[in-house]
Amino acid sequence: MNDKIEKLKFKYDHIASKDQSQIAKAEEFSKGYKEFIGKAKTEREATKFIEEYAIKNGYQKFNKNAKYKTGDKIYYNNRDKSIILSTVGKQNILDGINFCVSHIDSPRIDLKVTPMFESDQIAYFKTHYYGGIRKYQWVCVPLAMHGKIFLKNGTGIELCLGEKDDEPKFVISDLLPHLGQKQNDRKLSEGIKASEMNIIISSLPYIEEGNKEDIKDAFKLKALEILNKMYGITEKDFIRSEIEFVPATKPCDIGLDKSMVGGYGQDDRVCAYPSLIAEIEIKNNNKTTVTVFTDKEEIGSEGNTGMVSNFTFDFLEDYIKCIDESADIKEVYRKSLCLSSDVNAAYDPTFSDVFDKYNSSYLNKGPCITKYTGSRGKSGSNDASCETMARIMDIIDSKGVYWQTGDLGEVDVGGGGTIAKYMSQRNIDTIDFGVPVLAMHSPFEITSKLDIYNTYLAYKALYES
Ligand code: MN
Ligand code: MN
């Protein structure tokens, strides 16, 4: 191409075709990432991981009666389900805050409040799925049980069963093809119905020595007996529990070239992890950084651990006073910049018709800037201004980070939202910025290591700005 053409046109490059040296760096970065998503499969586990990691790296628990100065690193844990980390910058807080806000909940299968039943000599859990899933993808997949359950005496018990090789797993069954003819005629969205998503728990009966009579609900009783032995729980305790079933699979490399990561829960831990590392590493920052890891995004950010709740903004109000008692928080927000650190759908050549190939994000071209989300005419979208686009492009280009832009599919095919709007509601310049994902919301999502690494570089560039 001659110079004139090169100047006029613009395209996003495959990172490896421009910089081979990034492959090894991305590979190294992906090791910590795989460890994180392998260990942190629920919002509670992610919060615990992040809190421990922060403490190990010198973060202090937030105290609203303290005074904070340049270089101080603090964390604020909200109910063990969401957490905020921050590093106080050199500049006046009135110059604004640099935010990265991601979510640490992922689509999964929750238990109903009264979950146990037996049917024809098999014990089951009844479920209610959490977040947008394609139900047919979740059958015949080994599942692990995670969560927390409270005993009458107030003791909270953390559960995690099915992640270790020698631990039992759980599963939802599907029909065999030989008898699936009628089911095959269902629409794909009803291939597996929610009411059919029953998790198999056990198949042996409860036996009472010396008792020859049939015991009612013997299969459910047997399961309860085992659970009681393991955790000291009884059936009533399920009412005060939060039990989440997630794929019992381990994250791994994908492809001959090991260029990708496959695993559960990458939406949105694939953005949470790079923001965690960028936050932990930052020092001598000009502006104060605030890294939020929030819950409940997958069901609309509701609840007191999600972004609709005031927890983030109540914290900020207290925190800003600890840095500068007289600072006007509205002014701080007005000057701030927030990366709504969430994933976008990567272009999938197999299903190309749902994408606009000129406005999609692709694997290996870097993190995706999503100017607007929403559906049916951008409804429900944050729709970042051109000023905000210019601000972020300037920051990441100055550090040579690879990035791209992309919409969430072709117009009117579908759509979705992120937490961006909850930040911009406070008058904070906000833009969606995260890793492209293949097979998003499935039990096994796929991402590119080069994209993950450049997402980290981008968040770091923001924090260094
Ligand atoms: Mn997400
Ligand atoms: Mn999602």
Side-chain angles (χ1 to χ4, degrees):
M1 250 193 301
N2 70 37
D3 273 6
K4 190 177 169 194
I5 295 175
E6 195 134 331
K7 267 187 196 145
L8 281 169
K9 286 177 75 174
F10 174 73
K11 69 172 177 52
Y12 301 113
D13 295 303
H14 191 293
I15 298 167
S17 72
K18 284 279 161 185
D19 185 358
Q20 283 277 315
S21 76
Q22 282 228 358
I23 297 171
K25 292 175 197 158
E27 172 61 30
E28 195 52 39
F29 190 79
S30 75
K31 287 178 186 160
Y33 170 62
K34 281 182 284 181
E35 192 197 327
F36 174 64
I37 59 168
K39 279 186 181 162
K41 289 192 172 181
T42 67
E43 70 286 0
R44 285 180 192 276
E45 289 164 358
T47 299
K48 195 168 167 217
F49 184 105
I50 292 164
E51 182 171 16
E52 284 172 5
Y53 199 71
I55 292 170
K56 214 168 73 189
N57 284 281
Y59 283 68
Q60 303 285 328
K61 190 174 180 172
F62 175 62
N63 169 6
K64 69 180 218 173
N65 299 314
K67 290 276 164 245
Y68 293 112
K69 54 175 198 323
T70 305
D72 284 348
K73 285 179 172 275
I74 62 102
Y75 71 91
Y76 172 75
N77 175 333
N78 179 31
R79 296 177 161 83
D80 293 332
K81 287 164 69 100
S82 41
I83 184 164
I84 303 173
L85 270 51
S86 174
T87 306
V88 181
K90 291 184 282 194
Q91 278 175 224
N92 193 319
I93 193 75
L94 285 170
D95 291 337
I97 291 168
N98 284 327
F99 287 96
C100 279
V101 183
S102 64
H103 67 93
I104 47 175
D105 62 317
S106 294
R108 58 176 193 252
I109 302 165
D110 284 353
L111 290 193
K112 287 194 175 180
V113 179
T114 306
M116 277 182 107
F117 74 102
E118 71 168 65
S119 181
D120 302 286
Q121 308 192 326
I122 297 179
Y124 288 99
F125 280 134
K126 283 213 106 26
T127 68
H128 193 144
Y129 62 97
Y130 172 98
I133 63 166
R134 310 189 77 190
K135 295 182 267 298
Y136 72 88
Q137 295 177 338
W138 292 72
V139 295
C140 305
V141 171
L143 300 169
M145 177 166 70
H146 293 239
K148 191 167 184 182
I149 190 160
F150 274 91
L151 303 181
K152 190 169 183 247
N153 67 13
T155 313
I157 294 165
E158 308 267 354
L159 307 181
C160 183
L161 184 64
E163 291 295 343
K164 296 194 182 118
D165 287 344
D166 59 350
E167 285 177 349
K169 323 278 187 254
F170 304 86
V171 73
I172 298 166
S173 65
D174 193 5
L175 218 42
L176 62 168
H178 317 66
L179 300 176
Q181 237 163 326
K182 219 171 119 194
Q183 188 193 25
N184 287 347
D185 292 337
R186 293 185 190 174
K187 287 198 309 190
L188 186 58
S189 60
E190 286 160 13
I192 295 292
K193 297 175 186 169
S195 60
E196 292 166 340
M197 296 185 73
N198 298 317
I199 296 173
I200 296 174
I201 321 173
S202 58
S203 65
L204 293 178
Y206 181 86
I207 305 287
E208 218 171 30
E209 243 173 275
N211 186 353
K212 295 253 160 59
E213 280 171 44
D214 271 358
I215 297 169
K216 197 170 174 283
D217 292 336
F219 291 83
K220 177 176 150 178
L221 263 177
K222 179 69 182 181
L224 278 167
E225 186 191 31
I226 297 170
L227 285 169
N228 184 265
K229 259 190 209 147
M230 289 181 80
Y231 304 111
I233 58 176
T234 63
E235 191 174 11
K236 191 178 179 185
D237 297 325
F238 280 106
I239 302 169
R240 45 186 165 236
S241 77
E242 275 181 344
I243 297 181
E244 308 172 2
F245 280 80
V246 298
T249 46
K250 288 188 176 70
C252 61
D253 295 333
I254 295 288
L256 286 173
D257 55 8
K258 299 184 179 175
S259 60
M260 295 162 277
V261 175
Y264 164 72
Q266 300 203 65
D267 172 9
D268 182 32
R269 295 177 198 118
V270 73
C271 297
Y273 183 77
S275 74
L276 170 64
I277 303 303
E279 165 64 46
I280 295 278
E281 287 179 356
I282 194 70
K283 44 179 189 268
N284 298 320
N285 40 314
N286 294 321
K287 291 185 185 172
T288 295
T289 66
V290 171
T291 312
V292 182
F293 305 90
T294 179
D295 180 30
K296 293 278 188 279
E297 194 277 342
E298 295 295 356
I299 56 167
S301 294
E302 309 289 349
N304 61 7
T305 52
M307 276 315 284
V308 170
S309 142
N310 272 330
F311 88 85
T312 301
F313 305 101
D314 286 349
F315 158 77
L316 285 167
E317 207 178 312
D318 291 339
Y319 181 47
I320 288 167
K321 274 193 201 128
C322 296
I323 298 170
D324 177 354
E325 211 161 346
S326 64
D328 176 0
I329 191 164
K330 297 192 291 296
E331 191 60 26
V332 177
Y333 287 164
R334 223 178 341 257
K335 296 274 180 58
S336 295
L337 181 57
C338 172
L339 295 184
S340 162
S341 310
D342 207 347
V343 300
N344 200 338
Y347 179 85
D348 188 333
T350 306
F351 302 102
S352 57
D353 59 327
V354 300
F355 295 93
D356 166 6
K357 67 175 180 176
Y358 303 107
N359 284 283
S360 288
S361 56
Y362 293 79
L363 289 186
N364 294 310
K365 293 189 173 185
C368 173
I369 300 180
T370 307
K371 186 179 184 296
Y372 46 82
T373 56
S375 52
R376 295 174 303 280
K378 298 189 179 179
S379 183
S381 168
N382 160 60
D383 203 1
S385 67
C386 57
E387 287 84 354
T388 310
M389 291 293 276
R391 253 179 113 176
I392 189 63
M393 282 168 71
D394 193 36
I395 289 168
I396 49 183
D397 275 342
S398 73
K399 298 280 180 180
V401 180
Y402 288 90
W403 57 273
Q404 58 183 324
T405 51
D407 288 0
L408 181 56
E410 182 55 281
V411 183
D412 284 351
V413 169
T418 65
I419 55 92
K421 59 182 172 184
Y422 307 112
M423 293 301 285
S424 55
Q425 270 171 10
R426 309 283 163 156
N427 202 14
I428 296 169
D429 279 340
T430 305
I431 196 154
D432 281 299
F433 193 107
V435 178
V437 179
L438 280 178
M440 194 202 292
H441 284 205
S442 78
F444 195 77
E445 302 172 311
I446 301 142
T447 54
S448 131
K449 292 178 182 176
L450 286 165
D451 294 341
I452 301 169
Y453 179 60
N454 277 271
T455 302
Y456 152 71
L457 295 180
Y459 296 164
K460 194 170 140 158
L462 172 71
Y463 286 173
E464 285 172 352
S465 71

